[in-house]
Amino acid sequence: FGFIVIFLKAPSEEQRIRDGVPILSQNAGWSAKDWDGVNKEVADLLKNESKLERSDLSGWDFKTDGKPLNGAEIVESVSFLNENFDVLNTAKFGDLSSVKTILVIQVHDRPVYLQYLIESMRNTQGISETLLVFSHDINVGINNELIRNITFARVYQIFYPYNLQLFPTVFPGQSPADCPEKMKRDRAQETNCSNWSYPDKYGNYRVAQLTQIKHHWWWKMNFVFDGIVDKFKMNDPWVLLLEEDHMLAPDALHVLDIVVTNRPTYCAACEIISLGFYLKSTNKYGQDIAHLGVHPWYSSKHNMGMALQRATWKKIQGCSEMFCSWDDYNWDWSLMQVSAKCLPQRFRVIFTKSPRVIHIGDCGVHTHRCEAHKALKSTQDLFQQYKDRLFPSSMTVTDTSRRSLKPSKENGGWGDRPPTVRAQQDATGQGVGSTAIGAPFDAQHENSVQHEHQYFNYLHHLIE
């Protein structure tokens, strides 16, 4: 048995690093061409991704006794790394006992966006009092460097153990025996591909690159609450969910603190706070800068910059069967079903009418324009235009609604696998390894599984 050791560079003293963020991020005029050199590592990785026939271990440094690690040993090594991470900057800011807000950032492979987010966090008042948790589904050197050079807050870095970089050709990755996404069921049966009898409701078969997002989200949430909040005996902090292509307004944490403090007055029954809101126009941004809304939570409106506490997460966790079996690869639409159909009462949300979390990602899963510098510039201009109105001393609820919008139908993409695997998983008995943190799921055979030791055994069976 061996452990994975990731060698991450210590904070650099080079001129290109300033205050925890490369000074490149301050030049909003950089084009995609300008970034070719910076992103070459990522570009090469993605270009070769579809050609991989085994785990891509290029980003990982294995220290073994000379024998190759099997899949189960790889997973346990990554889990060991996650559980034993040495929190950064505690000497400067203290331990985690005083942290009232955790910012959890789901990271993939877009370092341009990530460093824009980091720069915005550096400029956010109150950031030194928080914990930043970066959760990755791929190990990319430049992302690690950006994060390890943060000096303005405490930092915890975790890696989703069952990611496609490590397991590209075995479930939950894409096995060569899996049916192609668009193959017709009759043809799939004829070719006898492994999951031919389990397409999604639209007749399509599972695409691992898409399902990994929901896998990662579920695992990350369990790890944060069980593996960080509980482990460090934190005093019920608010957990603010971000992604690598978000930006924070300078007063984002100031606004969050106002809402948390006054929640009993604004809406005592509201369990979710949303700092993000999808604006069709910014014409009223200044007018609404101190205004809040109170609505039933709806995924496509209130999924950005979403904050919640442990009691709310436990309700979601208690509905894992619905979340994990709902035929939708989107975590937010799956959560919408939990709110609408599993909970006694739907979630209600307090949201900022003028968002303090902005989405600048025009290059991602669904869009590929890749002009991050333009989105960054427009967001910076917005904050600059209204800088004198940020940091309101108080806020007022001006928009209240009890009308619950109808949840959307499934988007699909969450096809099942043979039910016999469930029996194999159930028969594995006790959990393997030291971790008992919640894990991701992919299909109906995982419906009743709520803790990682069960899913961990299941994946052991598939990847050993």
Side-chain angles (χ1 to χ4, degrees):
F1 182 84
F3 287 104
I4 298 173
V5 179
I6 301 178
F7 288 97
L8 301 176
K9 294 181 181 179
S12 174
E13 298 299 329
E14 298 178 24
Q15 180 62 32
R16 67 193 184 93
I17 303 293
R18 183 189 64 79
D19 292 334
V21 179
I23 58 175
L24 297 176
S25 67
Q26 297 172 52
N27 186 344
W30 278 61
S31 67
K33 182 178 180 181
D34 294 323
W35 277 100
D36 282 348
V38 179
N39 288 337
K40 186 176 186 305
E41 177 180 353
V42 179
D44 289 346
L45 177 65
L46 297 179
K47 182 172 66 176
N48 296 324
E49 187 177 72
S50 61
K51 300 177 182 178
L52 294 175
E53 295 182 355
R54 63 178 183 82
S55 301
D56 175 17
L57 308 179
S58 59
W60 307 84
D61 193 344
F62 290 86
K63 299 299 181 184
T64 71
D65 57 4
K67 298 179 181 179
L69 297 181
N70 62 37
E73 290 170 334
I74 290 173
V75 169
E76 187 147 339
S77 295
V78 178
S79 297
F80 178 87
L81 176 73
N82 291 335
E83 294 166 13
N84 293 276
F85 185 83
D86 188 11
V87 183
L88 304 182
N89 302 320
T90 54
K92 183 176 182 180
F93 299 110
D95 61 27
L96 304 186
S97 60
S98 63
V99 171
K100 296 181 180 179
T101 307
I102 303 176
L103 281 63
V104 181
I105 303 96
Q106 186 155 325
V107 183
H108 187 48
D109 61 5
R110 296 179 290 175
V112 178
Y113 289 114
L114 178 61
Q115 73 164 349
Y116 289 161
L117 170 63
I118 291 173
E119 179 73 1
S120 75
M121 290 192 296
R122 184 182 71 85
N123 293 320
T124 300
Q125 182 175 297
I127 196 70
S128 63
E129 301 173 9
T130 69
L131 170 67
L132 311 181
V133 177
F134 293 89
S135 184
H136 305 255
D137 59 22
I138 186 172
N139 184 16
V140 177
I142 190 163
N143 283 348
N144 294 331
E145 184 177 356
L146 288 169
I147 292 165
R148 296 286 293 193
N149 277 285
I150 291 174
T151 59
F152 53 76
R154 286 155 287 198
V155 175
Y156 199 120
Q157 196 174 9
I158 57 178
F159 292 85
Y160 169 51
Y162 309 102
N163 65 72
L164 300 186
Q165 185 183 34
L166 292 175
F167 302 108
T169 58
V170 63
F171 180 83
Q174 203 78 53
S175 168
D178 287 347
C179 304
E181 178 189 6
K182 298 296 184 180
M183 180 176 280
K184 299 297 184 183
R185 179 167 175 155
D186 290 347
R187 176 59 180 161
Q189 182 177 6
E190 182 180 326
T191 61
N192 198 33
C193 43
S194 63
N195 56 332
W196 70 264
S197 58
Y198 299 98
D200 68 13
K201 68 173 298 182
Y202 302 105
N204 300 318
Y205 291 97
R206 188 180 68 98
V207 177
Q209 287 181 315
L210 297 180
T211 59
Q212 177 174 255
I213 300 170
K214 183 172 171 180
H215 276 296
H216 182 189
W217 188 89
W218 185 258
W219 174 86
K220 168 196 72 180
M221 294 296 291
N222 280 279
F223 191 98
V224 167
F225 280 103
D226 295 345
I228 296 179
V229 173
D230 282 2
K231 177 180 177 179
F232 292 97
K233 297 180 172 57
M234 301 174 74
N235 187 22
D236 200 16
W238 282 84
V239 174
L240 175 63
L241 305 180
L242 302 171
E243 297 182 12
E244 65 186 356
D245 58 356
H246 290 170
M247 278 190 66
L248 293 183
D251 69 342
L253 295 175
H254 169 81
V255 168
L256 179 61
D257 185 60
I258 289 177
V259 176
V260 168
T261 301
N262 294 281
R263 188 167 63 105
T265 302
Y266 295 153
C267 174
C270 289
E271 299 184 62
I272 295 175
I273 298 169
S274 176
L275 297 184
F277 191 67
Y278 297 91
L279 292 175
K280 296 179 180 179
S281 168
T282 59
N283 291 340
K284 292 185 177 181
Y285 193 89
Q287 177 181 324
D288 285 332
I289 211 157
H291 294 167
L292 301 169
V294 171
H295 285 195
W297 182 82
Y298 195 76
S299 58
S300 63
K301 294 178 178 290
H302 310 120
N303 62 354
M304 182 168 53
M306 194 174 86
L308 66 160
Q309 287 180 292
R310 180 174 180 77
T312 305
W313 167 245
K314 296 304 290 184
K315 292 181 180 181
I316 297 169
Q317 195 178 50
C319 293
S320 61
E321 180 173 350
M322 175 169 288
F323 182 92
C324 300
S325 62
W326 185 250
D327 188 7
D328 198 317
Y329 67 89
N330 297 289
W331 67 264
D332 50 348
W333 286 113
S334 301
L335 187 58
M336 183 75 231
Q337 297 301 317
V338 168
S339 177
K341 299 180 180 179
C342 181
L343 300 179
Q345 293 182 328
R346 290 192 180 192
F347 285 135
R348 288 181 62 78
V349 59
I350 303 171
F351 64 93
T352 51
K353 296 282 287 182
S354 293
R356 289 346 196 256
V357 175
I358 305 287
H359 177 252
I360 65 168
D362 55 4
C363 180
V365 174
H366 303 293
T367 57
H368 307 281
R369 292 188 296 274
C370 301
E371 295 180 318
H373 56 289
K374 291 184 179 179
L376 169 72
K377 185 64 166 60
S378 64
T379 302
Q380 288 178 327
D381 289 346
L382 179 68
F383 294 153
Q384 179 65 25
Q385 181 180 355
Y386 297 107
K387 65 178 182 178
D388 294 335
R389 301 190 194 182
L390 295 174
F391 297 96
S393 58
S394 62
M395 304 190 76
T396 306
V397 175
T398 61
D399 180 2
T400 303
S401 174
R402 291 193 170 275
R403 179 173 174 264
S404 296
L405 299 176
K406 182 180 179 181
S408 70
K409 59 184 180 180
E410 303 102 314
N411 286 301
W414 198 249
D416 201 355
R417 294 175 66 82
T420 53
V421 179
R422 170 64 188 273
Q424 294 167 343
Q425 180 269 323
D426 283 344
T428 55
Q430 296 296 320
V432 178
S434 61
T435 180
I437 299 164
F441 313 96
D442 188 36
Q444 292 177 359
H445 60 269
E446 307 299 341
N447 288 354
S448 65
V449 184
Q450 297 185 30
H451 297 288
E452 184 177 7
H453 67 274
Q454 295 170 295
Y455 189 70
F456 189 80
N457 281 331
Y458 165 55
L459 287 183
H460 269 53
H461 169 80
L462 293 175
I463 64 182
E464 278 183 321

